[in-house]
């Protein structure tokens, strides 16, 4: 009997040694793979949310959710990120096309924190989604949020002042009722827009303001800008005010400025997330729309902050400047919106605003600006549309004597004799025919003004604080 037990014990020991020998002979990478598998399984079981089958069955498709289930719903057009300025969904929301984020509350645990999402009321009906469909929609929604909601979008949409002071301030300014201005109503109204940061408003922009008042000492200038409507911005403009010039910076009230036009509904859709801002700067596109809406509401002249004014605009009325001419026909081939002069409520401005709202494309540079102006006027000319005859298109020499491709030549002295003759003729043309010169800041902002250049000559003739 003892012999039999000895053989059994020996066989078990041999089997154990064989098993251990097999384990030690396996490669180390296999153990690492096994460890990763165990960790993944552990994480999956810890974070998995179990949804009762009763909630996913077809019989609950049109029944109310239990009180232990909380739904956070995002409309297709709204970002699924922390946007405290976005409106909550209506209390009776039951749209079946919305994306759903589902969380289950354990009876003994506190409510899940989903304060960054609008909550759907507990008595709302909503069909459940499969786990796969939820993951797909969440991924698609995440890509859309990253693409369309740029860092500057929220700040631009919140440009409006906390209190609607725009209306009262601009009316007081125009009619001379402001405490800072008591010289009576304005004889000519000018507008600029500045949606960029204050630090970007520099010497060239101030020279543009100087040139405006050099040619229009009795004019009023409103710079629609939140960044300039500040203590520091006021310091920038104080030298003009102290010398009797009427200039003011006011933060925009988009709701008031856009009211009664197609811009009103477009801006509302933008704030709701139903308009894709696109890759082009939203500030630039808002500036394109603001200038049209301001002129439609108040009338006057708009100039970009990189336009040097050379002569009085007093004889201009309902005027657009051509940027280029067709060499074959002599007719304009492209218009520009850097300088606009229009009466209040002019129907062409209304048409421009309508075109902006209906054809907005945030991915094409110029589509909502110069190309828009060209597109609408060209279509009217082609279709012989009536009722819009009361406007003038001036030749390029009026505001754009040099286009963006040749603007650098105005910043330098003559390179050679041929270039010198061309510059002399261009300088003579500007002196005789130009009301203003657009410096195309996008292409010339890094250029230095060389002594003896045409731009140097323009600055010398248009500056107010030349000797200060």
């Amino acid at each position: 009997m003892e012999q039999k037990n000895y053989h059994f014990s020996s066989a078990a020991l041999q089997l154990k040694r064989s098993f251990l020998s097999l384990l030690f002979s396996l490669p180390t990478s296999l153990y690492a793979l096994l460890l990763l598998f165990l960790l993944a399984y552990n994480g999956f079981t810890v974070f998995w949310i179990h949804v009762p089958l009763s909630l996913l069955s077809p019989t609950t498709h049109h029944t109310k959710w239990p009180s232990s289930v909380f739904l956070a719903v995002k409309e297709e057009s709204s970002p699924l990120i922390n946007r405290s300025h976005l409106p909550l969904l209506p209390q009776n929301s039951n749209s079946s096309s919305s994306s759903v984020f589902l969380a289950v509350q354990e009876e003994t645990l506190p409510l899940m924190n989903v304060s960054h999402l609008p909550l759907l009321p507990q008595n709302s009906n909503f069909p459940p989604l499969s786990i796969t469909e939820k993951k797909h929609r969440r991924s698609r929604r995440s890509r859309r949020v990253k693409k369309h909601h740029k860092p500057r979008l929220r700040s631009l949409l919140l440009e409006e002042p906390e209190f609607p002071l725009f209306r009262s301030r601009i009316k007081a300014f125009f009619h001379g009722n402001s405490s800072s201005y008591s010289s009576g109503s304005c004889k000519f109204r000018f507008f600029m827009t500045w949606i960029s940061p204050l630090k970007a408003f520099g010497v060239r922009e101030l020279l543009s303001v100087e040139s405006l008042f050099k040619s229009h000492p009795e004019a009023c200038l409103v710079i629609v800008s939140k960044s300039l409507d500040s203590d520091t911005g006021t310091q920038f403009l104080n030298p003009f005010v102290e010398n009797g010039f009427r200039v003011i910076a006011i933060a925009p009230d988009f709701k008031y400025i856009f009211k009664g036009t197609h811009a009103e509904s477009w801006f509302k859709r933008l704030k709701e997330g139903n308009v894709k801002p696109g890759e082009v700067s939203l500030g630039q596109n808002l500036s394109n729309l603001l200038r049209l809406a301001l002129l439609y509401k108040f009338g006057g002249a708009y100039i970009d902050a990189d336009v040097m004014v050379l002569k009085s605009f007093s004889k201009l009325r309902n005027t657009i400047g051509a940027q280029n001419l067709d060499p074959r026909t002599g007719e304009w081939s492209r218009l520009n919106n850097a300088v606009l002069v229009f009466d209040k409520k002019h129907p062409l401005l209304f048409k421009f605003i309508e075109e902006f709202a209906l054809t907005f494309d945030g991915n094409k540079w110029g589509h909502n600006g110069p190309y828009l102006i060209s597109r609408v006027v060209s279509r009217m000319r082609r279709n012989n549309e009536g009722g819009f005859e009361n406007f003038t298109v001036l030749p390029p020499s009026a505001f754009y004597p040099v286009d963006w491709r040749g603007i650098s030549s105005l910043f330098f002295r003559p390179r050679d004799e041929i270039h010198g003759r061309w510059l002399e003729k261009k300088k003579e043309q500007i002196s005789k025919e130009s009301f203003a010169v657009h410096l195309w800041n996008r292409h010339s902002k890094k250029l230095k003004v060389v002594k003896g250049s045409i731009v140097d000559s323009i600055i010398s003739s248009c500056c107010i604080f030349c000797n200060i």
Side-chain angles (χ1 to χ4, degrees):
M1 183 70 178
E2 291 180 0
Q3 184 77 12
K4 186 176 181 181
N5 289 338
Y6 173 78
H7 285 297
F8 178 81
S9 176
S10 178
L13 182 61
Q14 186 66 27
L15 181 63
K16 183 176 180 181
R17 287 177 178 175
S18 299
F19 178 74
L20 290 175
S21 178
L22 177 64
L23 287 179
F24 284 118
S25 67
L26 293 175
T28 309
S29 58
L30 184 62
Y31 293 106
L33 184 62
L34 180 62
L35 180 61
L36 287 175
F37 175 80
L38 292 174
L39 288 173
Y41 176 78
N42 182 64
F44 182 80
T45 55
V46 169
F47 294 105
W48 172 258
I49 298 177
H50 174 69
V51 180
L53 291 177
S54 60
L55 294 180
L56 299 176
S57 65
T59 57
T60 63
H61 201 75
H62 295 291
T63 58
K64 295 182 179 179
W65 290 100
S67 60
S68 61
V69 179
F70 292 84
L71 294 175
V73 180
K74 172 216 167 245
E75 293 296 332
E76 290 295 333
S77 58
S78 303
L80 188 60
I81 52 180
N82 187 7
R83 301 288 190 194
S84 59
H85 63 285
L86 293 176
L88 295 179
L89 288 174
Q91 293 297 312
N92 62 352
S93 174
N94 59 6
S95 170
S96 60
S97 65
S98 300
S99 302
V100 179
F101 177 81
L102 178 65
V104 178
Q105 177 206 9
E106 296 290 338
E107 295 296 329
T108 58
L109 296 178
L111 295 179
M112 179 173 287
N113 183 11
V114 289
S115 59
H116 62 293
L117 297 173
L119 294 179
L120 187 70
Q122 294 184 21
N123 63 350
S124 297
N125 300 326
F126 215 93
L129 297 176
S130 67
I131 302 298
T132 303
E133 185 176 1
K134 284 191 291 181
K135 288 182 178 178
H136 171 71
R137 290 196 178 185
R138 193 179 306 169
S139 174
R140 182 178 60 187
R141 183 171 55 216
S142 177
R143 289 196 302 269
R144 186 166 61 245
V145 167
K146 289 180 181 178
K147 181 177 180 181
H148 297 151
H149 289 266
K150 299 182 177 182
R152 292 254 315 139
L153 174 59
R154 185 178 179 184
S155 63
L156 286 170
L157 295 185
L158 295 178
E159 284 279 316
E160 297 173 273
E162 186 176 356
F163 302 101
L165 300 176
F166 184 91
R167 180 178 182 178
S168 58
R169 290 179 66 191
I170 198 170
K171 285 190 174 182
F173 177 70
F174 281 152
H175 294 91
N177 298 326
S178 172
S179 59
S180 302
Y181 309 97
S182 57
S183 57
S185 60
C186 301
K187 292 190 176 181
F188 204 91
R189 297 175 178 178
F190 277 89
F191 293 93
M192 285 185 180
T193 61
W194 190 258
I195 310 266
S196 301
L198 182 60
K199 63 181 180 181
F201 195 86
V203 174
R204 186 173 296 187
E205 289 72 28
L206 289 171
L207 282 171
S208 179
V209 176
E210 284 190 54
S211 70
L212 187 156
F213 285 120
K214 186 68 177 282
S215 301
H216 307 80
E218 296 182 345
C220 294
L221 170 61
V222 176
I223 305 177
V224 180
S225 168
K226 182 181 179 181
S227 59
L228 279 169
D229 188 7
S230 60
D231 292 339
T232 307
T234 300
Q235 293 176 12
F236 277 38
L237 302 178
N238 266 344
F240 295 97
V241 177
E242 291 170 357
N243 281 272
F245 299 109
R246 302 183 63 178
V247 56
I248 191 172
I250 312 179
D253 180 347
F254 292 115
K255 184 177 180 181
Y256 169 69
I257 297 171
F258 294 157
K259 187 175 182 181
T261 69
H262 290 83
E264 183 177 16
S265 60
W266 177 87
F267 189 69
K268 181 180 179 182
R269 289 188 291 115
L270 177 70
K271 293 175 69 175
E272 292 172 347
N274 295 325
V275 173
K276 301 176 182 178
E279 299 301 320
V280 177
S281 163
L282 179 61
Q284 179 180 313
N285 282 322
L286 278 176
S287 174
N288 286 327
L289 182 58
L290 264 176
R291 67 190 69 183
L292 300 174
L294 287 167
L295 292 182
Y296 184 76
K297 199 169 196 72
F298 300 104
Y302 168 86
I303 65 169
D304 273 353
D306 59 347
V307 169
M308 300 293 291
V309 181
L310 307 180
K311 297 175 184 174
S312 173
F313 286 13
S314 59
K315 294 182 180 180
L316 301 181
R317 188 176 179 187
N318 303 320
T319 300
I320 308 171
Q323 178 181 324
N324 299 113
L325 296 179
D326 187 331
R328 296 172 300 173
T329 64
E331 298 288 335
W332 61 265
S333 58
R334 182 175 298 170
L335 306 178
N336 200 288
N337 64 341
V339 180
L340 299 169
V341 184
F342 274 96
D343 293 341
K344 179 180 178 180
K345 302 288 185 182
H346 194 282
L348 184 57
L349 290 171
F350 189 87
K351 199 75 174 177
F352 289 154
I353 297 172
E354 179 185 41
E355 179 77 6
F356 184 102
L358 296 179
T359 68
F360 177 83
D361 189 335
N363 292 314
K364 295 180 181 178
W365 189 92
H367 177 83
N368 313 299
Y371 297 162
L372 180 149
I373 303 296
S374 305
R375 200 164 58 241
V376 172
V377 176
S378 179
R379 186 167 61 233
M380 290 168 47
R381 181 175 61 177
R382 185 173 60 250
N383 298 336
N384 294 318
E385 295 184 23
F388 297 95
E389 299 87 354
N390 184 26
F391 71 94
T392 303
V393 175
L394 294 180
S397 59
F399 307 124
Y400 316 102
V402 177
D403 70 5
W404 60 271
R405 290 164 293 190
I407 189 60
S408 61
S409 63
L410 302 189
F411 283 77
F412 301 104
R413 289 194 298 265
R415 295 188 302 268
D416 48 44
E417 186 178 348
I418 296 176
H419 186 222
R421 287 200 297 268
W422 181 88
L423 285 178
E424 195 61 37
K425 288 182 179 179
K426 183 58 65 176
K427 185 176 181 179
E428 184 179 350
Q429 180 197 41
I430 291 173
S431 176
K432 290 181 179 180
E433 303 175 18
S434 299
F435 290 90
V437 176
H438 187 206
L439 296 182
W440 305 98
N441 198 39
R442 188 180 180 206
H443 304 277
S444 67
K445 60 184 177 183
K446 294 183 180 180
L447 298 177
K448 293 183 178 180
V449 180
V450 176
K451 191 71 174 177
S453 64
I454 290 181
V455 172
D456 178 57
S457 175
I458 290 174
I459 292 174
S460 299
S461 63
C462 295
C463 63
I464 293 175
F465 309 117
C466 312
N467 301 319
I468 296 179

